[in-house]
Amino acid sequence: MVKVAILRCDSAAKTCPAVGCMTAALNKKDTFKDYEDFELVTMITCGGCPGRLGINQIKQLVEKHGVEVVHFATCTTALKPKCIYTDEMKEEIEKTGAKVVLGSHF
């Protein structure tokens, strides 16, 4: 079973209830459709720009809870203006050995 976390934008989280992300994950739709079996371990925010808090939490989730894949919520990749830290956060997460999927729902 693949362990998955969702990383969402801290600013967007103030107004978004994450229904799209949760619906996609729980119903194995959109970017979650290809999993045979997965466990949604958690959904966290980046902690605010530039995302260091979220990256530190992801590192702990990988080490302590076996998270293997981090889905960047659609708010981190599709909102305008686009998050300028997405590429940097992706790179840091991939250094932990976890895979990164950009987007959660369409």
Side-chain angles (χ1 to χ4, degrees):
M1 180 177 311
V2 178
K3 293 188 176 194
V4 174
I6 299 174
L7 179 69
R8 61 195 294 228
C9 171
D10 192 66
S11 293
K14 291 172 176 49
T15 58
C16 176
V19 172
C21 293
M22 292 302 294
T23 299
L26 296 174
N27 293 308
K28 293 175 121 181
K29 291 183 175 183
D30 301 329
T31 62
F32 299 92
K33 71 181 182 321
D34 294 328
Y35 291 107
E36 179 74 27
D37 196 18
F38 76 97
E39 173 186 358
L40 181 59
V41 175
T42 191
M43 178 185 291
I44 64 170
T45 73
C46 64
C49 296
R52 288 189 189 111
L53 179 61
I55 298 304
N56 288 334
Q57 289 178 337
I58 293 293
K59 287 177 181 177
Q60 291 177 18
L61 290 165
V62 169
E63 292 173 11
K64 295 180 181 178
H65 300 282
V67 167
E68 301 165 80
V69 182
V70 178
H71 282 252
F72 278 41
T74 298
C75 58
T76 65
T77 60
L79 287 181
K80 303 289 183 202
K82 182 181 182 254
C83 172
I84 62 172
Y85 301 105
T86 299
D87 293 336
E88 183 179 325
M89 290 189 296
K90 179 181 182 288
E91 187 177 303
E92 286 299 312
I93 290 170
E94 287 174 337
K95 287 179 184 176
T96 70
K99 178 182 173 188
V100 173
V101 175
L102 298 178
S104 53
H105 61 91
F106 306 125

